Amino acid sequence: MVLTVTDLEISRGGRAVLEGVHFTLLPGAALILRGPNGVGKTTLLRTVAGLQPASGGHISGADDTIAYAGHSDGLKSMLTVTENLDFWASVFGRSDIGAALDAFDLRGLASRLAGNLSAGQKRRLGLARLMVTGRPVWVLDEPTVSLDAASVGLFVAAVRGHLGQGGSAILATHIDLGLQEAAVLDLSVFRASPRAAQADEAFL
């Protein structure tokens, strides 16, 4: 599945933050978003994932193809690790969670309640959800938050495995993941130009 973004404009708080954003994400490819804090990385990812509307432009190839992982891990605290993955697998009409448990080293935690996991363990479980969706495009916002070096390695291996199976990924991260095969897109060049405030004619 090819994801194409064309002349995209996105807004935050009613004000345009990025404009003219364009890229094509091919099967087997990864794209890393760069730029200073506040440039609009999260807003762009949420827009691509369909969680908020674009102000202009076009996104094609996104319908029913995207699995999104944001700042929230999306876990049910009173379900076990296995039950959480079973739940998300069932949402997407799937049943096999074994690969996800292995990829993120969760076998030893399978029967533990999600609410009793450490922050890093919760993040690993939250990322493991991606693998049980069957969705070809992973959209990831700072996926390595709370992960130690070993767990970052597990995540990178999971991404590479996903790419190797023809999936794709777009992610915002502040750290070097060692994904030399990934393209990099600096969002600074798409900052929206300042626009004069529209005065209310009633006060003129």
Side-chain angles (χ1 to χ4, degrees):
M1 178 60 67
V2 178
L3 177 70
T4 303
V5 170
T6 307
D7 199 26
L8 195 69
E9 179 180 300
I10 60 172
S11 301
R12 182 174 58 231
R15 175 174 295 182
V17 292
L18 295 173
E19 60 185 2
V21 180
H22 57 274
F23 61 83
T24 298
L25 188 64
L26 298 173
L31 178 66
I32 296 176
L33 303 182
R34 298 291 192 199
N37 289 337
V39 75
K41 296 186 292 293
T42 292
T43 307
L44 175 59
L45 291 175
R46 288 178 55 82
T47 302
V48 170
L51 300 177
Q52 66 183 67
S55 305
H58 186 66
I59 301 171
S60 63
D63 294 343
D64 298 324
T65 66
I66 288 177
Y68 175 77
H71 296 163
S72 171
D73 293 318
L75 307 177
K76 295 183 177 293
S77 62
M78 296 308 296
L79 295 183
T80 66
V81 167
T82 296
E83 289 168 343
N84 267 281
L85 290 178
D86 280 337
F87 169 79
W88 283 108
S90 67
V91 167
F92 291 93
R94 301 171 66 85
S95 59
D96 183 15
I97 66 169
L101 287 169
D102 292 334
F104 286 92
D105 193 20
L106 294 169
R107 288 281 184 184
L109 301 170
S111 61
R112 186 174 299 182
L113 292 179
N116 293 336
L117 299 176
S118 69
Q121 291 166 343
K122 287 178 181 177
R123 176 56 87 176
R124 278 158 48 201
L125 177 54
L127 293 171
R129 291 185 302 122
L130 297 166
M131 296 186 64
V132 303
T133 65
R135 294 289 177 91
V137 182
W138 291 0
V139 175
L140 311 164
D141 191 5
E142 295 295 345
T144 59
V145 170
S146 300
L147 295 184
D148 59 19
S151 296
V152 170
L154 293 176
F155 166 71
V156 172
V159 171
R160 284 203 169 107
H162 180 63
L163 301 181
Q165 294 173 359
S168 57
I170 173 173
L171 59 157
T173 177
H174 284 95
I175 70 171
D176 182 4
L177 297 175
L179 284 169
Q180 289 85 4
E181 63 269 40
V184 176
L185 182 66
D186 186 351
L187 295 184
S188 299
V189 301
F190 300 110
R191 284 184 188 269
S193 57
R195 299 175 186 177
Q198 298 297 314
D200 189 331
E201 294 183 357
F203 294 95
L204 296 180

